[in-house]
Amino acid sequence: MEWFREHAWETWLGLSIVLGVAELFSLDLVLIMLAAGALVGMIAAVLDLHVAIQILAASAASVAALAMVRPSVVKRFHSGPELSLGHGKLIGRQGVVTEEISGLAAGRIKLAGEFWTAEPYDDTTSIAPGETVEVLEIRGATAVVHPVARLES
């Protein structure tokens, strides 16, 4: 027992390394948080604090890491890139009106190199050819669009 008192910081460092290596096999991000707590215990041992304080510091750091750091890291690792497939990838893109669009008659736009039938989002809006529009929704084979405001110079 005397050896542990004389080599407290080495013991904490060894525990931290063992927990870190064990994390490589579990990949749950729990053991790495405990390893971080062991590093805090090692710092407390280097400062020559009492063993009870070292254990409390290591425990507090481990619990804090598990409660505050782990959830955000797990969320980041488990969420992948957002994929837009099919017509969904056209929403938010801009196109150019080729035939007048109004609430009474659908027009046409050129969007992503293709021609689409388009209707205005607001039925009272009329959009002239040459105007730039933004796609808000795709309904079947029809794009629902809204004109993009222009800056006058």
Side-chain angles (χ1 to χ4, degrees):
M1 195 66 162
E2 187 64 32
W3 186 88
F4 286 113
R5 286 192 191 116
E6 293 175 4
H7 298 91
W9 75 269
E10 293 99 333
T11 305
W12 284 110
L13 179 61
L15 179 62
S16 178
I17 291 170
V18 168
L19 289 169
V21 170
E23 176 63 39
L24 293 175
F25 295 103
S26 73
L27 298 176
D28 285 333
L29 299 176
V30 172
L31 297 177
I32 198 70
M33 302 300 158
L34 298 177
L39 287 176
V40 171
M42 182 192 77
I43 292 170
V46 168
L47 296 174
D48 201 28
L49 298 176
H50 191 268
V51 175
I53 296 174
Q54 294 173 27
I55 293 171
L56 285 174
S59 300
S62 295
V63 169
L66 285 169
M68 291 187 261
V69 177
R70 185 178 181 273
S72 63
V73 173
V74 167
K75 183 179 178 183
R76 183 169 291 187
F77 281 156
H78 288 252
S79 66
E82 189 168 321
L83 298 175
S84 296
L85 301 173
H87 298 125
K89 66 182 177 184
L90 298 175
I91 295 174
R93 297 202 45 195
Q94 294 184 355
V96 177
V97 177
T98 58
E99 293 178 19
E100 183 176 0
I101 302 170
S102 69
L104 300 174
R108 293 182 58 82
I109 62 170
K110 186 170 185 180
L111 176 65
E114 299 176 340
F115 290 94
W116 282 76
T117 302
E119 295 177 346
Y121 179 74
D122 181 9
D123 290 338
T124 61
T125 304
S126 181
I127 308 168
E131 293 287 323
T132 303
V133 292
E134 180 179 358
V135 178
L136 301 178
E137 184 181 347
I138 301 288
R139 291 185 195 147
T142 303
V144 179
V145 298
H146 188 70
V148 175
R150 276 199 251 170
L151 295 176
E152 301 295 327
S153 50

